[in-house]
């Protein structure tokens, strides 16, 4: 039996297509300020850096940048709408449920590391059918730092390691430069999916592996010597 690896997953754009519900919350903010709405094509390139960054990009794209003093009220509008519609249109990407279940069955330690607020991550996972699957779930707010700060990656790994004996390596699995930078800063390998939320094609980012289908993950892990 191989030493159980710690597989640390991004959420939005990696495990689930959450863009329809994020779009709804973003457009609620824009509507409250009489700004034109965004569509999915524009939004998908804005996701992955946290709610503040998403709102800031959306406001700028719709007319003018938001000031720091305006941001708290806009974040409240975003969060209120998103809480009420958190999984209306969000779906797991193909192959995610079966692949994660098989990896866990084979002994892998699974964790989530996302810049989505913790208060939104916790209720979303069970609604996506992923409740109880992860040994550690870290969203924005669980620590005073977020991705790409390497400390939060190490925190997730340490949490998973304390729950199960055995060594094993750790890998970041995501969809964007934020995930890649987190892994690089933490000295860990990185696997990126090609279908996620990123303005730069993942194959141009320099990850250790890129997969087009989540079901390819075990094969990529084996190629990297992690399984």
């Amino acid at each position: 039996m191989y030493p159980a690896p710690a597989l640390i997953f991004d959420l939005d754009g990696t495990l689930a297509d959450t863009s329809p519900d994020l779009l709804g919350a973003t457009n609620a903010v824009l509507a409250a300020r009489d700004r034109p709405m965004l569509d999915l094509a524009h939004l998908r390139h804005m996701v992955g850096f946290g709610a503040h960054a998403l709102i800031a990009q959306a406001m700028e794209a719709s007319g003018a940048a938001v000031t720091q003093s305006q941001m708290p009220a806009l974040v409240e509008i975003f969060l209120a709408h998103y809480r009420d519609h958190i999984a209306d249109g969000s779906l797991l990407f193909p192959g995610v449920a079966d692949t994660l279940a098989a990896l866990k069955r084979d002994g892998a330690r699974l964790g989530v590391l996302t810049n989505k607020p913790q208060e939104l991550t916790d209720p979303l996972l069970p609604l996506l059918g992923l409740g109880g699957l992860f040994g550690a779930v870290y969203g924005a707010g669980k620590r005073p730092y977020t991705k790409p700060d390497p400390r939060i990656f190490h925190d997730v790994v340490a949490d998973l390691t304390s729950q199960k004996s055995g060594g094993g390596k750790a890998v970041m699995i995501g969809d964007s430069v934020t995930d890649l930078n987190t892994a690089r800063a933490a000295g860990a390998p990185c696997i990126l999916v090609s279908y996620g939320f990123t303005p730069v094609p993942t194959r141009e980012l320099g990850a250790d592996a890129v997969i087009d289908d989540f079901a390819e993950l075990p094969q990529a892990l084996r190629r990297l010597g992690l399984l």
Side-chain angles (χ1 to χ4, degrees):
M1 182 75 173
Y2 60 82
L7 310 182
I8 315 303
F9 295 93
D10 173 55
L11 177 52
D12 300 88
T14 301
L15 299 179
D17 184 357
T18 54
S19 58
D21 299 318
L22 290 170
L23 178 65
T26 303
N27 279 337
V29 172
L30 296 177
R33 295 298 182 265
D34 296 319
R35 297 289 185 89
M37 303 292 100
L38 294 180
D39 58 25
L40 277 176
H42 286 93
L43 180 97
R44 290 177 68 87
H45 299 314
M46 299 178 181
V47 178
F49 305 96
H52 284 74
L54 174 56
I55 293 167
Q57 291 179 83
M59 291 291 283
E60 186 167 4
S62 66
V66 62
T67 66
Q68 205 57 38
S69 63
Q70 295 170 321
M71 184 62 76
L74 299 181
V75 170
E76 280 306 310
I77 295 169
F78 179 94
L79 293 178
H81 187 283
Y82 193 61
R83 286 188 199 100
D84 291 340
H85 303 277
I86 194 168
D88 287 2
S90 295
L91 295 170
L92 294 180
F93 287 109
V96 168
D98 290 344
T99 302
L100 290 178
L103 287 166
K104 185 169 185 178
R105 193 165 53 244
D106 289 343
R109 295 166 290 156
L110 310 181
V112 167
L113 175 55
T114 174
N115 280 347
K116 182 188 291 292
Q118 190 78 38
E119 65 178 295
L120 301 175
T121 301
D122 288 338
L124 177 58
L125 289 174
L127 291 172
L128 293 171
L130 300 179
L133 192 62
F134 300 100
V137 176
Y138 280 63
K142 187 153 187 172
R143 294 287 189 270
Y145 39 85
T146 60
K147 293 186 297 183
D149 191 311
R151 290 176 293 174
I152 195 140
F153 181 87
H154 293 309
D155 288 345
V156 180
V157 175
D159 198 346
L160 291 172
T161 300
S162 69
Q163 298 168 16
K164 185 172 182 177
S165 60
K169 300 177 181 178
V171 56
M172 183 75 217
I173 300 152
D175 70 320
S176 71
V177 68
T178 301
D179 300 309
L180 178 65
N181 288 342
T182 302
R184 292 291 179 257
C190 180
I191 297 173
L192 295 178
V193 300
S194 65
Y195 52 74
F197 306 151
T198 172
V200 179
T202 50
R203 282 189 168 77
E204 298 178 12
L205 296 177
D208 298 283
V210 177
I211 57 176
D212 299 316
D213 187 315
F214 197 86
E216 299 171 4
L217 178 59
Q219 182 180 0
L221 290 168
R222 284 191 288 270
R223 286 199 306 268
L224 296 175
L226 297 166
L227 285 184

